[in-house]
Structure formats: C-alpha cells, structure tokens
Amino acid sequence: MYSGNEAAASRIQDNPLVTRQDLVLALEQLTAPLRPLYSPGGARLKTGKTGAGYPAAVAEMEGFSRVLWGLVPLLMGGGNSGLWDLVLDGIRHGTDPSHAEYWGEAGDYDQRLVEMAVFGFALAAIPERIWTPLAPEEQEHLYRWLDQINLHPCYDCNWLFFNVLVNAGFRRLGLPYDAEQLENNLRRMDDFYLGDGWYSDGIDGHSDYYVPFAIHYYGLLYAKLMEREDPERSHLFKERARLFAAGFIAWFAPDGSALPYGRSLAYRFAQSAFWSAYAYAGVEGFPAGVIKGLVLRNLRWWFGQPIFDEDGVLTIGYAYPNLVMAENYNAPGSPYWALKTFLPLAFGGEHPFWKEAELPLPDIPAITVQQPAHLVIVREPGSGHVAAFNSGHLHSNEHTHTSAKYEKFVYSTGFGFSVPRAEWGLAQGAYDSMLALSEGGDNLYRVRRRNLESEIMDNVLRAVWRPWADVEVRSWIVAGLPWHIRIHRIGTGRALDAAEGGFALGRETEPDQLAGMAGAAVTTAWGTSGIKGLLGYVKAELVRPNANTNLLRPRTVLPTLTASLAPGIHWLASAVYGYPSNAAKCRLSEQAAGILKQSPEHNLHVAFGEQTVTVLTNTGREIVIRLA
C-alpha cells in the first residue's frame, strides 16, 4: 500500500506518457489532489502555507487560475473534468463584488493582472464552456473584473501579453475591448525582439525561459486564435517561433531534461511549454514526432523527480522541494503554471501530434552559439550532458539570486547550479561555476553580477566585470565538455582571497575524493567533478556547500581552487571537468584520481606559454591572450 506522496508519485511515475489518453490521465493525476483544497465558494485554491510578496488571498486566486492552463486545453479537445463545475462556481463568486470570496480590485502591477491571461485565452478558445454557462449578471461581473487590466499598467516585459490575451478574448466574444492598448502592447513586444527568434524580457532584460514559456507561448496563442483577424502579425509570431526553435532545441538533453538556467525554475515542466504552443499554432519546421518527443520526454523526466508533497501536490522547488532557490513571487500555487505544457490536449486523437510516432532529438551541433542569449551551448554525446557557457550580461535586476541564476560561467543539465544560502564563507555561498572574491580574511565573498563588457568568439567567451571599484576582472572561458578552461586577469587595489568553483556534484554518503596542491576531484553515483589549477592557484579543496543550495541534489560536494592575492595584477587559470553519470564505470576512487592526470587538450586546444595563452577556437580561429 502507498500513502500520501508515495501513492501520488507512484501513479504519475507509472504513467508511460505515450498516448493522448496518457496525457489526459496525467492531468487528472496532477489535479485530483487539489479538489479538497478549494475554498467553500470554489474561488480560491490553497495548496500550501508559505508566503509570497503578495497577500495570501491573491496567492489563492493565483492557484485557482493556474490550474486553468491545463483544464482549458482539455475542454478544447472535447474532454471534461470533474473540476469544471467547481471552476465555474469559483468564477461566479470570485468576480462578484458582493461575495466573500471576491478576488478584489486590482492595482497597478498587481499579481491579479498576471492571472487574468488564462481567462482571456479561455474566452477566445472555449466561450461555450466558460462564458455561455454564466447568467447575464455573472457575465457582466467577469467582464468587469477582467477589464481592470485596461485600467492598470503592467510591467514593461512579458506582462504586456496578459493585456493582449484578455482583449483578444473580449474581441472574439464581440465585447468592448481596448483596441489601442492591445495594439500598443503588441508593438512594444517588437522592441524586445533581438533577432534569430530571440527576445529579451523587456529592454535590457535577460533571455531566459521567459522567452519560450511566456513571450513565444503567448504570441503563438495569439497567432492561432487571431489568425483571421490579424493574419500579418500571426504569421510574424509563427516565423519568429520557427527561428527560435532551431536554437532552443539545443537546451534539451536526450533524457528529456532541460537546462536549469535563469529565474522561475519552480515552474518546472513549463520548460517544454514552447513546444506545445509550437504544435498548437501549426508552426512549420520540426516534424510533429520530434515536437511530441520533446514534450513527452520532458514530462517523463519531471514526473521521475520527487517534486510532490505527501498529498500529491506540486511543491515549490526544482528537482525536489526547495524554498532556498525560490523567487519572491513563488506562492504555493505558482508551480501550476507548468500546466501550460498540456496544450496538446487541445488536439483530438487524429491530430498528427498524436498519430505520428515519437521521434528522438534530431542531430544537433556539438557547439551552438546563441549570441542574443549570451550563451554557447555544448553537448557531450557520451554522457548526454548539455552545458550552457555564459559570457554574462551588461545589465542586472533585483530578482532573487540574480548572480547565481544569470552570471555563473556555465549551467548544466547534469549538475544543475547552486544558489547561496547566506553570505559567510564558501560553504554558505555555494560558488559552483563562479570565481568568488573576498577582501583578505573577511570571508564575505563577491561574485559577478553584471559586466562592463561581454562577447563571444566561437567557443571562447570573454567578459570584464568589477566586483569593487578598484578591482577589475577580465575573464575568458574556453567552452567544451567534459573539460573547459577558465582564465582570469585580476587587477586589484586591495588584498583578496580567490576561490574558483567547479561543478557541484550530488552526494549522499562520503564520496571518493582527491584534493591537493594541483587540483581536486570527486566521484559519486551521480558522476565525476574535478578542477585543476593551471596558473596562479596554490591550493585545492573539496567544499561541502550548505544543504539545499543546489537545484538537482540537496547535498553536494564542490571541487574548489583557492589563492590569496596582494594588490596588483594577477593571472589565474584552471581546467574544469564534469561528467554526470547514474553509475560509475570503474572504481570510484580510480575515476576521481584519474581525471587529475588527464589533459583537457583532447577536446580543447589551449597552449600556455610564459607570456601568452593561445586558444584555437572550434572554427580554427586563433586567439592570443597576453599575460601582462
């Protein structure tokens, strides 16, 4: 007998996710545990007790709305849900100003504006299920509540699409809508376009998962729903999605996992929502079987992780429940945005998405340069490992753990990345794939937050950053797998302690390890991680970061190089090794020791001279770095 989490997780993990009916069942498995968590009037959904940056009543309205991202496609495809009558009652009561569960008056930049988007989608896609069943007075309440989005500003980023979807829904129903604001918001999105299918999430914003699971996703909903009313823009959105898909596919590993990078990773399998919208809008490019494989493998990977609580409810976290990595706007119901990936339920069983055989990933280049995103994606065939090397950004923001989520040197499907637990020392800071610097002896470390310069030349990434006014760091990363090279020129007006972290490796028991003057390496059941000092470093150690800092594993070990720097000019260089694996192929101690004897030259071409470092890039370009 299973109980609680074991029963819920077992049901989902046992779902083969092959057919349309399997996906229908998966939606039921995800939503059935929510039924007892609705409020008496049905307008609020309380899935947990933790807080967010907005009141609990708004968070519970958010939980209510996010489930609709899965239910609406189900109804579009002719299905039904036992929750739908409860949802309709919730809409009746949540939009009624005289009811105790009224969702309230929205303000400027209000979270409720975010949650209105799915209602606009539903009004346009299934008016017979969400609009027609309401009495005239109830329809007026819903319209008036949603129309608040035309009275309040949204943040100048992907949020602008929330207004677009609501007004598109109004337009499809023949209701009064703000045509001027709809058009202005659509034009503003063009200002965020960077080329090659990429957007930034606002002017000078990052290019992360908000590009695929928000901007492109909403654009493709609009393209499909408004194809007749706005054919030119619908075509444009599809074409940009086609261009974007060619690069975004490189973010996915053969096992279905995708790169952990950026913020809002608590939305989990929303990672593959873009592919669902790609299929829904009928974008030409990859065959239906390839798109189907991307979506279903990603869902299978996620359903194999311990992401549910004891009652089968999605938790906040990434590969396990984890508030340390959460955003200030992650309320208990927030993770259900992941249901956006269930959009293929809008297709009947005869649609090519369901009729064609699932296909593996197509051939993807070993190295993909994605200039708009500041990334170089490297794939290692033997392990299925995918890593995104990052040149860094010229702008930053105030979101939680911005440095950890956007400024590490590399992000990995096999090792994830870590966020700091606190600011004191290397264990609390969890500085994997970073150069961390502290004023000599104070044990408070600073890392890269934004850059003065940032560029990519083939597989060589360069950045200039300044952690203090009198400290300038010039960094070069030579991207590759399983080895990559890092080189830093540090000009400092103060004494510093430096620490260079490799990949954080999951551990449960004490791992086989080796650490000394030349480098440090460690092997566990989850793979091997190591780092070798090539220039300037004097010591290597194995840091044990605080628990729950890494996104993939709650306990990790981190090979790290250290040095003490007097005021002046210093050069530091290291070779970093990472090979994730579910089972060691030889005795663990032999594997850990063996990599320190290896040279990275078998997959990289880097020569260190007395005064220069010469790099031969993946296209044969020669780059000379002068050690002066």
Side-chain angles (χ1 to χ4, degrees), residues 414-415 505-512 522-529 553 557 579-589 591:
F415 299 98
L505 178 64
R507 66 182 175 99
E508 196 47 51
T509 59
E510 279 304 301
D512 290 295
V522 60
T523 295
T524 73
W526 288 299
T528 300
S529 175
R553 308 291 177 191
V557 59
Y579 192 94
S581 174
N582 290 324
K585 296 181 180 179
C586 61
R587 286 183 55 206
L588 300 183
S589 57
Q591 194 162 332

Side-chain angles (χ1 to χ4, degrees), residues 21 117 165 431 466 511 572:
Q21 188 55 41
L165 289 179
Y431 300 116
R466 190 170 289 159
L572 302 175

Side-chain angles (χ1 to χ4, degrees), residues 1-11 33 308-313:
M1 290 288 292
Y2 289 101
S3 63
N5 184 36
E6 293 179 352
S10 174
R11 287 194 299 271
F308 303 96
D309 72 9
E310 64 275 11
D311 296 314
V313 176

